[in-house]
Amino acid sequence: MASARSAFGALLHAWRDRLAPADAGFPVTGGRRAPGLRREELAQLAGLSVDYVLRLEQGRARNPSAQVVGALARALQLSRTERDELYRAAGLLPPRDGTIGTHVPPGIQRLTARLGDVPIGVFGADWTLLWWNGMWSGLHGDPALVPVGERNLARAVFGTGAARASMRPFRSDRGHGAFAASIVADLRDAVSRYPADAGLDRLVRELRDTSAAFAQLWTTATASQHTSDRKTVRHPELGDITLDCDVLVVPGADLRMVTYTAAGGSEDAGKLDLLRVTNGRAAGTLP
């Protein structure tokens, strides 16, 4: 196990040095003593503490979970082959075919990072949040402060844990009932396409057991899937911000890019501009 842990740390360090800060959405400034990402930048992108990343690189942290390895692989913008190598170095089996993918292609990550004036979140087929930019954190609150297993839209809408507690108040022009039903419709579709995905099965079972609303919708809902909407998000500093919410499907990856925009020159566009200036990139400090 010691050699596996040291191999894991060496991979983290090497791939961190390889990734250009600009491709991860960080401004390029002078004074960098080494190429690539700083350790605190990798921690921020993966939603982990800097100390935990340091211990992983040094081989002092044992047995990282599959969720942690997946978050690091996405933060490092690894290819599928490299991702699988990182899983094996951690003593874990790589994700199997036939399960919901959590791999976010590097091109999608670069696009998300460079569209810095638009809040963008990238979700898996089960509505798990996999990737986001600084403006998403500014609008919705920093997902890095939410435990990895709770970063799921269905948990935020129907659950009772950290995801629900962290969700900022909002209203949908379609109505909350229609929005909630569309999330259930998406999960039903995901179950039909990924019947062997154990994580998806656990999510559905848990929500059916803990949420009467989810259980009823699961058996009765015939709603269409969640696509585009117009939403008003209540921001703690800026008040209500009404935005067009569009869901874009990433071909070949079964991912959804959720974007929020406002018409140029509108009051809400001005609030987005202010959000970009005042919030910047929020840092996560998970233990």
Side-chain angles (χ1 to χ4, degrees):
M1 290 299 295
S3 61
R5 289 197 300 272
S6 63
F8 184 86
L11 288 173
L12 280 188
H13 193 100
W15 284 332
R16 177 166 64 81
D17 282 348
R18 182 186 69 178
L19 183 58
D23 286 341
F26 292 100
V28 179
T29 59
R32 286 182 176 266
R33 293 178 296 176
L37 293 183
R38 296 184 174 109
R39 190 174 288 115
E40 57 267 26
E41 291 169 339
L42 174 59
Q44 178 178 317
L45 290 171
L48 304 169
S49 70
V50 178
D51 178 68
Y52 185 50
V53 172
L54 174 62
R55 288 187 285 120
L56 285 171
E57 286 193 355
Q58 294 179 341
R60 294 186 292 115
R62 303 183 179 186
N63 305 320
S65 69
Q67 290 175 324
V68 165
V69 176
L72 287 166
R74 289 189 292 274
L76 291 165
Q77 300 186 14
L78 302 184
S79 67
R80 288 182 182 273
T81 300
E82 291 168 338
R83 177 205 66 183
D84 291 353
E85 184 179 356
L86 191 65
Y87 271 89
R88 293 189 184 98
L92 299 169
L93 291 175
R96 304 188 287 121
D97 291 338
T99 58
I100 291 176
T102 62
H103 177 69
V104 180
I108 298 300
Q109 296 185 40
R110 290 192 292 269
L111 177 65
T112 303
R114 291 175 182 177
L115 292 177
D117 59 342
V118 177
I120 301 177
V122 181
F123 291 81
D126 59 352
W127 281 111
T128 292
L129 180 62
L130 303 173
W131 194 251
W132 62 90
N133 62 7
M135 281 291 284
W136 181 276
S137 296
L139 180 65
H140 289 293
D142 188 5
L145 301 179
V146 179
V148 175
E150 282 282 316
R151 297 173 196 167
N152 180 278
L153 184 56
R155 291 187 187 279
V157 174
F158 298 101
T160 58
R164 181 66 174 267
S166 68
M167 191 175 193
R168 288 179 175 170
F170 76 95
R171 65 177 182 273
S172 163
D173 278 9
R174 300 170 58 201
H176 183 76
F179 169 74
S182 69
I183 299 302
V184 177
D186 280 337
L187 289 185
R188 288 172 61 92
D189 177 67
V191 167
S192 71
R193 292 185 291 115
Y194 299 99
D197 191 289
L200 176 60
D201 181 67
R202 286 194 300 272
L203 173 66
V204 171
R205 287 177 180 273
E206 176 188 328
L207 293 179
R208 292 184 73 177
D209 288 343
T210 59
S211 170
F214 183 91
Q216 181 178 11
L217 286 171
W218 188 260
T219 57
T220 64
T222 58
S224 60
Q225 297 176 349
H226 183 46
T227 53
S228 297
D229 199 354
R230 187 167 174 81
K231 294 181 181 176
T232 301
V233 179
R234 177 152 296 176
H235 191 274
E237 284 83 36
L238 302 180
D240 287 353
I241 309 176
T242 300
L243 303 166
D244 292 318
C245 175
D246 292 291
V247 182
L248 312 175
V249 177
V250 179
D254 206 2
L255 300 172
R256 297 174 175 89
M257 290 181 63
V258 179
T259 67
Y260 286 85
T261 59
S266 67
E267 179 182 354
D268 294 301
K271 289 183 178 181
L272 277 185
D273 288 341
L274 184 59
L275 191 65
R276 182 176 65 251
V277 172
T278 58
N279 277 267
R281 178 182 289 274
T285 55
L286 287 183

mmCIF file of all heavy atoms in Angstrom, residues 33-77:
data_model
loop_
_atom_site.group_PDB
_atom_site.id
_atom_site.type_symbol
_atom_site.label_atom_id
_atom_site.label_comp_id
_atom_site.label_asym_id
_atom_site.label_seq_id
_atom_site.Cartn_x
_atom_site.Cartn_y
_atom_site.Cartn_z
ATOM 1 N N ARG A 33 6.569 30.501 -8.878
ATOM 2 C CA ARG A 33 7.894 29.891 -8.791
ATOM 3 C C ARG A 33 7.974 28.584 -9.558
ATOM 4 O O ARG A 33 9.064 28.079 -9.828
ATOM 5 C CB ARG A 33 8.261 29.648 -7.326
ATOM 6 C CG ARG A 33 8.470 30.931 -6.534
ATOM 7 C CD ARG A 33 8.787 30.631 -5.092
ATOM 8 N NE ARG A 33 7.675 29.979 -4.415
ATOM 9 C CZ ARG A 33 7.708 29.531 -3.162
ATOM 10 N NH1 ARG A 33 8.826 29.656 -2.450
ATOM 11 N NH2 ARG A 33 6.651 28.963 -2.617
ATOM 12 N N ALA A 34 6.812 28.014 -9.908
ATOM 13 C CA ALA A 34 6.796 26.730 -10.602
ATOM 14 C C ALA A 34 5.686 26.755 -11.639
ATOM 15 O O ALA A 34 4.703 27.492 -11.494
ATOM 16 C CB ALA A 34 6.578 25.586 -9.609
ATOM 17 N N PRO A 35 5.819 25.968 -12.710
ATOM 18 C CA PRO A 35 4.746 25.907 -13.700
ATOM 19 C C PRO A 35 3.523 25.182 -13.137
ATOM 20 O O PRO A 35 3.601 24.487 -12.119
ATOM 21 C CB PRO A 35 5.385 25.100 -14.834
ATOM 22 C CG PRO A 35 6.398 24.236 -14.152
ATOM 23 C CD PRO A 35 6.945 25.079 -13.025
ATOM 24 N N GLY A 36 2.423 25.342 -13.812
ATOM 25 C CA GLY A 36 1.235 24.595 -13.419
ATOM 26 C C GLY A 36 0.481 25.223 -12.277
ATOM 27 O O GLY A 36 0.671 26.388 -11.915
ATOM 28 N N LEU A 37 -0.405 24.421 -11.687
ATOM 29 C CA LEU A 37 -1.263 24.889 -10.604
ATOM 30 C C LEU A 37 -0.538 24.862 -9.272
ATOM 31 O O LEU A 37 0.272 23.964 -9.003
ATOM 32 C CB LEU A 37 -2.513 24.007 -10.487
ATOM 33 C CG LEU A 37 -3.531 24.026 -11.617
ATOM 34 C CD1 LEU A 37 -4.711 23.142 -11.242
ATOM 35 C CD2 LEU A 37 -3.993 25.432 -11.926
ATOM 36 N N ARG A 38 -0.856 25.816 -8.439
ATOM 37 C CA ARG A 38 -0.430 25.736 -7.049
ATOM 38 C C ARG A 38 -1.287 24.689 -6.337
ATOM 39 O O ARG A 38 -2.392 24.359 -6.749
ATOM 40 C CB ARG A 38 -0.601 27.086 -6.365
ATOM 41 C CG ARG A 38 0.273 28.194 -6.954
ATOM 42 C CD ARG A 38 0.122 29.472 -6.146
ATOM 43 N NE ARG A 38 1.041 30.509 -6.587
ATOM 44 C CZ ARG A 38 0.669 31.603 -7.249
ATOM 45 N NH1 ARG A 38 -0.607 31.798 -7.527
ATOM 46 N NH2 ARG A 38 1.570 32.494 -7.617
ATOM 47 N N ARG A 39 -0.764 24.191 -5.236
ATOM 48 C CA ARG A 39 -1.487 23.172 -4.493
ATOM 49 C C ARG A 39 -2.839 23.695 -4.005
ATOM 50 O O ARG A 39 -3.843 22.990 -4.043
ATOM 51 C CB ARG A 39 -0.645 22.698 -3.301
ATOM 52 C CG ARG A 39 -1.198 21.469 -2.606
ATOM 53 C CD ARG A 39 -0.246 20.977 -1.543
ATOM 54 N NE ARG A 39 0.944 20.364 -2.128
ATOM 55 C CZ ARG A 39 2.175 20.850 -2.002
ATOM 56 N NH1 ARG A 39 2.384 21.972 -1.332
ATOM 57 N NH2 ARG A 39 3.198 20.230 -2.547
ATOM 58 N N GLU A 40 -2.882 24.957 -3.573
ATOM 59 C CA GLU A 40 -4.156 25.501 -3.094
ATOM 60 C C GLU A 40 -5.159 25.674 -4.229
ATOM 61 O O GLU A 40 -6.376 25.608 -4.004
ATOM 62 C CB GLU A 40 -3.931 26.837 -2.367
ATOM 63 C CG GLU A 40 -3.243 27.915 -3.182
ATOM 64 C CD GLU A 40 -1.742 27.919 -2.982
ATOM 65 O OE1 GLU A 40 -1.184 26.848 -2.641
ATOM 66 O OE2 GLU A 40 -1.135 28.994 -3.138
ATOM 67 N N GLU A 41 -4.671 25.873 -5.453
ATOM 68 C CA GLU A 41 -5.575 25.988 -6.592
ATOM 69 C C GLU A 41 -6.201 24.640 -6.937
ATOM 70 O O GLU A 41 -7.398 24.546 -7.232
ATOM 71 C CB GLU A 41 -4.829 26.567 -7.794
ATOM 72 C CG GLU A 41 -4.438 28.028 -7.604
ATOM 73 C CD GLU A 41 -3.476 28.535 -8.664
ATOM 74 O OE1 GLU A 41 -2.793 27.711 -9.308
ATOM 75 O OE2 GLU A 41 -3.404 29.774 -8.838
ATOM 76 N N LEU A 42 -5.391 23.578 -6.895
ATOM 77 C CA LEU A 42 -5.937 22.238 -7.108
ATOM 78 C C LEU A 42 -6.959 21.903 -6.033
ATOM 79 O O LEU A 42 -8.033 21.356 -6.320
ATOM 80 C CB LEU A 42 -4.811 21.207 -7.110
ATOM 81 C CG LEU A 42 -5.259 19.740 -7.183
ATOM 82 C CD1 LEU A 42 -6.072 19.478 -8.440
ATOM 83 C CD2 LEU A 42 -4.051 18.801 -7.103
ATOM 84 N N ALA A 43 -6.648 22.225 -4.783
ATOM 85 C CA ALA A 43 -7.587 21.959 -3.692
ATOM 86 C C ALA A 43 -8.896 22.695 -3.918
ATOM 87 O O ALA A 43 -9.988 22.137 -3.717
ATOM 88 C CB ALA A 43 -6.960 22.380 -2.363
ATOM 89 N N GLN A 44 -8.800 23.937 -4.359
ATOM 90 C CA GLN A 44 -9.992 24.735 -4.602
ATOM 91 C C GLN A 44 -10.840 24.136 -5.711
ATOM 92 O O GLN A 44 -12.067 24.011 -5.586
ATOM 93 C CB GLN A 44 -9.562 26.150 -4.989
ATOM 94 C CG GLN A 44 -10.696 27.100 -5.318
ATOM 95 C CD GLN A 44 -10.168 28.480 -5.640
ATOM 96 O OE1 GLN A 44 -9.274 28.987 -4.961
ATOM 97 N NE2 GLN A 44 -10.717 29.085 -6.665
ATOM 98 N N LEU A 45 -10.206 23.710 -6.798
ATOM 99 C CA LEU A 45 -10.942 23.142 -7.922
ATOM 100 C C LEU A 45 -11.603 21.817 -7.563
ATOM 101 O O LEU A 45 -12.704 21.516 -8.037
ATOM 102 C CB LEU A 45 -9.991 22.932 -9.104
ATOM 103 C CG LEU A 45 -9.468 24.189 -9.801
ATOM 104 C CD1 LEU A 45 -8.375 23.823 -10.785
ATOM 105 C CD2 LEU A 45 -10.599 24.927 -10.502
ATOM 106 N N ALA A 46 -10.941 21.025 -6.732
ATOM 107 C CA ALA A 46 -11.463 19.708 -6.370
ATOM 108 C C ALA A 46 -12.404 19.757 -5.180
ATOM 109 O O ALA A 46 -13.045 18.755 -4.855
ATOM 110 C CB ALA A 46 -10.305 18.754 -6.075
ATOM 111 N N GLY A 47 -12.499 20.919 -4.507
ATOM 112 C CA GLY A 47 -13.362 21.017 -3.341
ATOM 113 C C GLY A 47 -12.802 20.294 -2.135
ATOM 114 O O GLY A 47 -13.542 19.693 -1.356
ATOM 115 N N LEU A 48 -11.476 20.346 -1.976
ATOM 116 C CA LEU A 48 -10.800 19.696 -0.860
ATOM 117 C C LEU A 48 -9.983 20.722 -0.103
ATOM 118 O O LEU A 48 -9.745 21.829 -0.589
ATOM 119 C CB LEU A 48 -9.873 18.580 -1.380
ATOM 120 C CG LEU A 48 -10.524 17.511 -2.253
ATOM 121 C CD1 LEU A 48 -9.451 16.642 -2.898
ATOM 122 C CD2 LEU A 48 -11.498 16.666 -1.444
ATOM 123 N N SER A 49 -9.535 20.356 1.087
ATOM 124 C CA SER A 49 -8.675 21.273 1.827
ATOM 125 C C SER A 49 -7.245 21.175 1.294
ATOM 126 O O SER A 49 -6.819 20.141 0.768
ATOM 127 C CB SER A 49 -8.689 20.943 3.321
ATOM 128 O OG SER A 49 -8.011 19.730 3.573
ATOM 129 N N VAL A 50 -6.497 22.267 1.433
ATOM 130 C CA VAL A 50 -5.107 22.279 0.986
ATOM 131 C C VAL A 50 -4.298 21.244 1.768
ATOM 132 O O VAL A 50 -3.450 20.537 1.202
ATOM 133 C CB VAL A 50 -4.496 23.681 1.155
ATOM 134 C CG1 VAL A 50 -3.030 23.687 0.726
ATOM 135 C CG2 VAL A 50 -5.285 24.714 0.356
ATOM 136 N N ASP A 51 -4.573 21.125 3.055
ATOM 137 C CA ASP A 51 -3.838 20.161 3.878
ATOM 138 C C ASP A 51 -4.068 18.741 3.396
ATOM 139 O O ASP A 51 -3.135 17.927 3.368
ATOM 140 C CB ASP A 51 -4.266 20.305 5.342
ATOM 141 C CG ASP A 51 -3.577 19.287 6.235
ATOM 142 O OD1 ASP A 51 -2.343 19.395 6.408
ATOM 143 O OD2 ASP A 51 -4.263 18.371 6.732
ATOM 144 N N TYR A 52 -5.298 18.438 2.990
ATOM 145 C CA TYR A 52 -5.591 17.076 2.522
ATOM 146 C C TYR A 52 -4.861 16.787 1.210
ATOM 147 O O TYR A 52 -4.293 15.704 1.023
ATOM 148 C CB TYR A 52 -7.090 16.889 2.363
ATOM 149 C CG TYR A 52 -7.494 15.465 2.009
ATOM 150 C CD1 TYR A 52 -7.008 14.391 2.735
ATOM 151 C CD2 TYR A 52 -8.351 15.213 0.949
ATOM 152 C CE1 TYR A 52 -7.366 13.093 2.424
ATOM 153 C CE2 TYR A 52 -8.715 13.915 0.624
ATOM 154 C CZ TYR A 52 -8.219 12.861 1.366
ATOM 155 O OH TYR A 52 -8.576 11.568 1.050
ATOM 156 N N VAL A 53 -4.836 17.756 0.296
ATOM 157 C CA VAL A 53 -4.097 17.571 -0.955
ATOM 158 C C VAL A 53 -2.613 17.381 -0.667
ATOM 159 O O VAL A 53 -1.945 16.533 -1.274
ATOM 160 C CB VAL A 53 -4.330 18.762 -1.907
ATOM 161 C CG1 VAL A 53 -3.407 18.675 -3.119
ATOM 162 C CG2 VAL A 53 -5.783 18.805 -2.358
ATOM 163 N N LEU A 54 -2.071 18.157 0.267
ATOM 164 C CA LEU A 54 -0.657 18.009 0.647
ATOM 165 C C LEU A 54 -0.394 16.609 1.177
ATOM 166 O O LEU A 54 0.601 15.958 0.801
ATOM 167 C CB LEU A 54 -0.296 19.059 1.694
ATOM 168 C CG LEU A 54 1.110 18.951 2.298
ATOM 169 C CD1 LEU A 54 2.178 19.131 1.228
ATOM 170 C CD2 LEU A 54 1.279 19.981 3.421
ATOM 171 N N ARG A 55 -1.270 16.126 2.041
ATOM 172 C CA ARG A 55 -1.067 14.785 2.610
ATOM 173 C C ARG A 55 -1.192 13.702 1.543
ATOM 174 O O ARG A 55 -0.477 12.694 1.590
ATOM 175 C CB ARG A 55 -2.063 14.548 3.746
ATOM 176 C CG ARG A 55 -1.734 15.350 5.005
ATOM 177 C CD ARG A 55 -2.614 15.008 6.186
ATOM 178 N NE ARG A 55 -3.959 15.557 6.065
ATOM 179 C CZ ARG A 55 -5.069 14.853 6.054
ATOM 180 N NH1 ARG A 55 -5.007 13.519 6.148
ATOM 181 N NH2 ARG A 55 -6.247 15.434 5.944
ATOM 182 N N LEU A 56 -2.085 13.906 0.559
ATOM 183 C CA LEU A 56 -2.183 12.943 -0.538
ATOM 184 C C LEU A 56 -0.900 12.928 -1.364
ATOM 185 O O LEU A 56 -0.392 11.862 -1.713
ATOM 186 C CB LEU A 56 -3.373 13.300 -1.439
ATOM 187 C CG LEU A 56 -4.765 12.981 -0.910
ATOM 188 C CD1 LEU A 56 -5.827 13.583 -1.820
ATOM 189 C CD2 LEU A 56 -4.981 11.472 -0.780
ATOM 190 N N GLU A 57 -0.372 14.107 -1.663
ATOM 191 C CA GLU A 57 0.849 14.170 -2.466
ATOM 192 C C GLU A 57 2.038 13.563 -1.725
ATOM 193 O O GLU A 57 2.923 12.973 -2.347
ATOM 194 C CB GLU A 57 1.147 15.623 -2.855
ATOM 195 C CG GLU A 57 0.227 16.178 -3.927
ATOM 196 C CD GLU A 57 0.732 17.480 -4.504
ATOM 197 O OE1 GLU A 57 1.755 18.016 -4.015
ATOM 198 O OE2 GLU A 57 0.111 17.981 -5.462
ATOM 199 N N GLN A 58 2.058 13.709 -0.421
ATOM 200 C CA GLN A 58 3.171 13.190 0.374
ATOM 201 C C GLN A 58 2.980 11.732 0.787
ATOM 202 O O GLN A 58 3.859 11.142 1.414
ATOM 203 C CB GLN A 58 3.367 14.058 1.616
ATOM 204 C CG GLN A 58 3.826 15.476 1.302
ATOM 205 C CD GLN A 58 3.988 16.321 2.543
ATOM 206 O OE1 GLN A 58 3.448 15.993 3.612
ATOM 207 N NE2 GLN A 58 4.722 17.425 2.424
ATOM 208 N N GLY A 59 1.824 11.158 0.457
ATOM 209 C CA GLY A 59 1.565 9.776 0.810
ATOM 210 C C GLY A 59 1.149 9.568 2.245
ATOM 211 O O GLY A 59 1.121 8.436 2.737
ATOM 212 N N ARG A 60 0.788 10.655 2.945
ATOM 213 C CA ARG A 60 0.399 10.538 4.354
ATOM 214 C C ARG A 60 -1.098 10.332 4.528
ATOM 215 O O ARG A 60 -1.537 9.928 5.599
ATOM 216 C CB ARG A 60 0.833 11.794 5.123
ATOM 217 C CG ARG A 60 2.344 11.961 5.215
ATOM 218 C CD ARG A 60 2.732 13.125 6.113
ATOM 219 N NE ARG A 60 2.372 14.419 5.545
ATOM 220 C CZ ARG A 60 1.481 15.252 6.054
ATOM 221 N NH1 ARG A 60 0.803 14.918 7.153
ATOM 222 N NH2 ARG A 60 1.243 16.412 5.477
ATOM 223 N N ALA A 61 -1.892 10.630 3.510
ATOM 224 C CA ALA A 61 -3.337 10.376 3.556
ATOM 225 C C ALA A 61 -3.618 9.066 2.840
ATOM 226 O O ALA A 61 -3.206 8.869 1.692
ATOM 227 C CB ALA A 61 -4.096 11.524 2.894
ATOM 228 N N ARG A 62 -4.297 8.165 3.513
ATOM 229 C CA ARG A 62 -4.519 6.826 2.975
ATOM 230 C C ARG A 62 -5.921 6.671 2.415
ATOM 231 O O ARG A 62 -6.866 7.281 2.886
ATOM 232 C CB ARG A 62 -4.303 5.776 4.071
ATOM 233 C CG ARG A 62 -2.928 5.833 4.711
ATOM 234 C CD ARG A 62 -2.773 4.721 5.714
ATOM 235 N NE ARG A 62 -1.447 4.728 6.334
ATOM 236 C CZ ARG A 62 -1.011 3.789 7.153
ATOM 237 N NH1 ARG A 62 -1.789 2.758 7.456
ATOM 238 N NH2 ARG A 62 0.209 3.873 7.671
ATOM 239 N N ASN A 63 -6.008 5.833 1.399
ATOM 240 C CA ASN A 63 -7.290 5.364 0.878
ATOM 241 C C ASN A 63 -8.262 6.486 0.524
ATOM 242 O O ASN A 63 -9.358 6.575 1.088
ATOM 243 C CB ASN A 63 -7.955 4.420 1.893
ATOM 244 C CG ASN A 63 -7.058 3.256 2.276
ATOM 245 O OD1 ASN A 63 -6.373 2.705 1.433
ATOM 246 N ND2 ASN A 63 -7.064 2.910 3.557
ATOM 247 N N PRO A 64 -7.911 7.367 -0.406
ATOM 248 C CA PRO A 64 -8.896 8.361 -0.842
ATOM 249 C C PRO A 64 -10.101 7.669 -1.459
ATOM 250 O O PRO A 64 -9.974 6.623 -2.108
ATOM 251 C CB PRO A 64 -8.123 9.180 -1.888
ATOM 252 C CG PRO A 64 -7.047 8.261 -2.370
ATOM 253 C CD PRO A 64 -6.652 7.445 -1.182
ATOM 254 N N SER A 65 -11.275 8.242 -1.255
ATOM 255 C CA SER A 65 -12.490 7.637 -1.776
ATOM 256 C C SER A 65 -12.573 7.819 -3.289
ATOM 257 O O SER A 65 -11.865 8.642 -3.888
ATOM 258 C CB SER A 65 -13.718 8.287 -1.126
ATOM 259 O OG SER A 65 -13.857 9.635 -1.565
ATOM 260 N N ALA A 66 -13.460 7.054 -3.913
ATOM 261 C CA ALA A 66 -13.676 7.188 -5.355
ATOM 262 C C ALA A 66 -14.168 8.589 -5.695
ATOM 263 O O ALA A 66 -13.817 9.135 -6.750
ATOM 264 C CB ALA A 66 -14.677 6.131 -5.831
ATOM 265 N N GLN A 67 -14.962 9.184 -4.818
ATOM 266 C CA GLN A 67 -15.454 10.534 -5.073
ATOM 267 C C GLN A 67 -14.308 11.539 -5.061
ATOM 268 O O GLN A 67 -14.255 12.452 -5.889
ATOM 269 C CB GLN A 67 -16.501 10.917 -4.027
ATOM 270 C CG GLN A 67 -17.819 10.158 -4.175
ATOM 271 C CD GLN A 67 -18.782 10.475 -3.057
ATOM 272 O OE1 GLN A 67 -18.379 10.662 -1.915
ATOM 273 N NE2 GLN A 67 -20.066 10.525 -3.365
ATOM 274 N N VAL A 68 -13.375 11.380 -4.128
ATOM 275 C CA VAL A 68 -12.234 12.288 -4.056
ATOM 276 C C VAL A 68 -11.349 12.114 -5.292
ATOM 277 O O VAL A 68 -10.915 13.098 -5.912
ATOM 278 C CB VAL A 68 -11.425 12.033 -2.768
ATOM 279 C CG1 VAL A 68 -10.053 12.702 -2.849
ATOM 280 C CG2 VAL A 68 -12.189 12.560 -1.561
ATOM 281 N N VAL A 69 -11.079 10.873 -5.675
ATOM 282 C CA VAL A 69 -10.245 10.629 -6.853
ATOM 283 C C VAL A 69 -10.912 11.194 -8.106
ATOM 284 O O VAL A 69 -10.259 11.812 -8.953
ATOM 285 C CB VAL A 69 -9.955 9.129 -7.017
ATOM 286 C CG1 VAL A 69 -9.159 8.866 -8.295
ATOM 287 C CG2 VAL A 69 -9.178 8.607 -5.811
ATOM 288 N N GLY A 70 -12.221 11.019 -8.224
ATOM 289 C CA GLY A 70 -12.936 11.566 -9.370
ATOM 290 C C GLY A 70 -12.852 13.081 -9.410
ATOM 291 O O GLY A 70 -12.671 13.675 -10.481
ATOM 292 N N ALA A 71 -12.983 13.726 -8.241
ATOM 293 C CA ALA A 71 -12.903 15.184 -8.184
ATOM 294 C C ALA A 71 -11.509 15.670 -8.578
ATOM 295 O O ALA A 71 -11.361 16.664 -9.289
ATOM 296 C CB ALA A 71 -13.264 15.674 -6.781
ATOM 297 N N LEU A 72 -10.478 14.960 -8.130
ATOM 298 C CA LEU A 72 -9.112 15.337 -8.493
ATOM 299 C C LEU A 72 -8.859 15.126 -9.988
ATOM 300 O O LEU A 72 -8.207 15.940 -10.640
ATOM 301 C CB LEU A 72 -8.112 14.525 -7.671
ATOM 302 C CG LEU A 72 -8.001 14.918 -6.195
ATOM 303 C CD1 LEU A 72 -7.252 13.846 -5.413
ATOM 304 C CD2 LEU A 72 -7.306 16.271 -6.044
ATOM 305 N N ALA A 73 -9.380 14.030 -10.533
ATOM 306 C CA ALA A 73 -9.200 13.767 -11.963
ATOM 307 C C ALA A 73 -9.847 14.861 -12.804
ATOM 308 O O ALA A 73 -9.284 15.301 -13.819
ATOM 309 C CB ALA A 73 -9.789 12.403 -12.315
ATOM 310 N N ARG A 74 -11.026 15.317 -12.384
ATOM 311 C CA ARG A 74 -11.681 16.402 -13.131
ATOM 312 C C ARG A 74 -10.906 17.700 -12.975
ATOM 313 O O ARG A 74 -10.719 18.447 -13.936
ATOM 314 C CB ARG A 74 -13.119 16.575 -12.635
ATOM 315 C CG ARG A 74 -14.048 15.446 -13.047
ATOM 316 C CD ARG A 74 -15.491 15.767 -12.724
ATOM 317 N NE ARG A 74 -15.755 15.822 -11.300
ATOM 318 C CZ ARG A 74 -16.062 14.769 -10.554
ATOM 319 N NH1 ARG A 74 -16.114 13.552 -11.089
ATOM 320 N NH2 ARG A 74 -16.317 14.900 -9.260
ATOM 321 N N ALA A 75 -10.445 17.983 -11.759
ATOM 322 C CA ALA A 75 -9.701 19.220 -11.525
ATOM 323 C C ALA A 75 -8.411 19.260 -12.336
ATOM 324 O O ALA A 75 -7.995 20.326 -12.808
ATOM 325 C CB ALA A 75 -9.391 19.367 -10.038
ATOM 326 N N LEU A 76 -7.786 18.100 -12.525
ATOM 327 C CA LEU A 76 -6.526 18.021 -13.266
ATOM 328 C C LEU A 76 -6.749 17.892 -14.768
ATOM 329 O O LEU A 76 -5.782 17.827 -15.528
ATOM 330 C CB LEU A 76 -5.707 16.835 -12.761
ATOM 331 C CG LEU A 76 -5.151 16.983 -11.338
ATOM 332 C CD1 LEU A 76 -4.683 15.640 -10.808
ATOM 333 C CD2 LEU A 76 -4.023 17.995 -11.305
ATOM 334 N N GLN A 77 -8.025 17.831 -15.194
ATOM 335 C CA GLN A 77 -8.390 17.742 -16.610
ATOM 336 C C GLN A 77 -7.721 16.537 -17.267
ATOM 337 O O GLN A 77 -7.124 16.617 -18.341
ATOM 338 C CB GLN A 77 -8.045 19.041 -17.338
ATOM 339 C CG GLN A 77 -8.766 20.248 -16.772
ATOM 340 C CD GLN A 77 -8.543 21.516 -17.554
ATOM 341 O OE1 GLN A 77 -8.046 21.483 -18.677
ATOM 342 N NE2 GLN A 77 -8.922 22.657 -16.980
#
